[in-house]
Amino acid sequence: MDAVLETLMRSAQSEKEASTERRPSREEAEAAVRTLIAWAGDDPTREGLLDTPKRVVRAYEELYSGYRVGPETILDRTFGEIGNFDDMVMVRDIEFHSHCEHHMVPFVGKAHIAYFPVERVVGLSKIARIVDIYARRLQTQEHLTSQIITAMDEILKPRGVAVLVEAEHMCMAMRGVRKQGASTVTTQFTGVFRDDPQEQVRFMSLLRGLRP
């Protein structure tokens, strides 16, 4: 038991140290881009590349802006004027762009989310913003799916949440096996969606039936 506790304490300390580690400055980030350009075989001082480090850093601020926003700031406001509505709410075809944490190349796809509200609902655009928060981080598709459903489930506390994510990964299309057009699908369910297979079937049927 002492060994287990010691391991947990070391892990907690490591996480704390990592969270307080100094963030590199903009100048350091731009210097890192210049180093990568040179490593790739080009000249970072030639005219066409002079401003590339600045552009890349600005692009990274947008592409990875999800690190600066928490889901609770998005889902904190709900609405209670829903009459006696107590059925499924679905938002489908939420487009997203993310980056694989293994190779830092894009994966692009759509998320489909449904939930059973309890007395109150959240604005529909907020569901799309939750997808963006987590997509704008270094990711795996499995973790992205899990983070979306966990945020919806823990903050809104609905009767259940269903998430299906489908995406094409450039780390598989551009490099490695180079299989263009291959689609990866991940799903996760909580509450009534997890406990009642019929609700999973209804979720999938609605998703397929609403397609043109």
Side-chain angles (χ1 to χ4, degrees):
M1 179 63 72
D2 290 343
V4 173
L5 289 173
E6 185 177 348
T7 300
L8 290 173
M9 289 176 66
R10 282 201 303 268
S11 177
Q13 181 64 27
S14 297
E15 290 181 4
K16 182 178 180 181
E17 290 173 356
S19 66
T20 57
E21 188 174 333
R22 184 183 71 86
R23 183 182 182 187
S25 67
R26 179 177 293 271
E27 290 74 19
E28 289 171 324
E30 292 176 4
V33 175
R34 283 191 287 272
T35 297
L36 286 173
I37 292 172
W39 181 86
D42 213 322
D43 178 8
T45 64
R46 70 176 176 84
E47 183 181 6
L49 292 174
L50 276 176
D51 291 329
T52 296
K54 289 184 173 63
R55 295 190 189 102
V56 170
V57 171
R58 285 199 300 269
Y60 268 36
E61 285 180 325
E62 180 179 353
L63 295 172
Y64 301 117
S65 60
Y67 288 112
R68 301 192 295 274
V69 185
E72 61 283 343
T73 63
I74 303 301
L75 299 176
D76 62 347
R77 186 181 181 190
T78 57
F79 304 91
E81 294 181 351
I82 60 174
N84 59 0
F85 182 84
D86 63 353
D87 207 339
M88 185 191 307
V89 177
M90 174 186 284
V91 181
R92 68 175 186 127
D93 294 331
I94 303 170
E95 294 185 352
F96 70 86
H97 302 78
S98 191
H99 284 78
C100 164
E101 67 182 35
H102 300 140
H103 303 98
M104 292 185 72
V105 295
F107 65 97
V108 179
K110 295 180 179 181
H112 316 282
I113 302 171
Y115 76 107
F116 277 94
V118 177
E119 297 181 352
R120 302 181 68 82
V121 297
V122 70
L124 300 178
S125 65
K126 302 300 181 67
I127 296 175
R129 290 186 66 190
I130 284 296
V131 175
D132 275 346
I133 283 176
Y134 291 117
R136 292 179 182 275
R137 302 179 184 187
L138 292 172
Q139 280 289 11
T140 65
Q141 184 173 330
E142 297 87 346
H143 196 203
L144 173 64
T145 305
S146 176
Q147 287 177 313
I148 292 169
I149 202 167
T150 298
M152 294 280 295
D153 198 49
E154 292 185 352
I155 298 174
L156 297 180
K157 303 189 185 307
R159 290 194 289 128
V161 184
V163 176
L164 186 150
V165 176
E166 51 185 338
E168 182 177 5
H169 293 249
M170 295 302 103
C171 59
M172 184 176 175
M174 295 169 55
R175 55 163 300 282
V177 295
R178 298 183 183 179
K179 299 298 182 184
Q180 290 80 23
S183 181
T184 300
V185 177
T186 51
T187 61
Q188 195 165 348
F189 305 96
T190 68
V192 294
F193 287 107
R194 179 191 57 219
D195 301 334
D196 186 350
Q198 289 301 314
E199 293 299 349
Q200 293 184 28
V201 171
R202 194 156 73 97
F203 169 72
M204 299 301 292
S205 297
L206 281 171
L207 188 55
R208 288 195 298 267
L210 289 171
R211 292 187 179 281

